[in-house]
Amino acid sequence: MASAASANLNAVRETMDVLLEISRLLNTGLDMESLSICVRLCEQGINPEALSAVIKELRKASETLKASENSTN
């Protein structure tokens, strides 16, 4: 039983490593933690395209806020 759990854990790690490499090749800017959260959300039924749109909007909002802070300083 323990070896099956260990094999499953290794498969999950390998899968996440491959997904992270693909993410880096596509220049998504996602780190391992963010990518892991996205994968879990998709596994729970969240629409990947909607998730992508939310991430893009959050990045835009963050850039706008940073630019606003820099212009006031």
Side-chain angles (χ1 to χ4, degrees), residues 22-69:
I22 292 170
S23 174
R24 287 182 178 149
L25 290 171
L26 295 173
N27 295 316
T28 64
L30 296 173
D31 59 11
M32 180 61 94
E33 182 181 6
S34 300
L35 182 62
S36 178
I37 291 168
C38 289
V39 168
R40 281 184 273 160
L41 287 169
C42 290
E43 287 174 342
Q44 295 201 6
I46 299 296
N47 181 324
E49 290 178 18
L51 182 57
S52 172
V54 168
I55 291 170
K56 288 177 185 177
E57 286 299 315
L58 288 172
R59 284 183 176 165
K60 278 185 195 176
S62 176
E63 288 173 17
T64 302
L65 182 62
K66 285 178 185 175
S68 172
E69 288 175 351

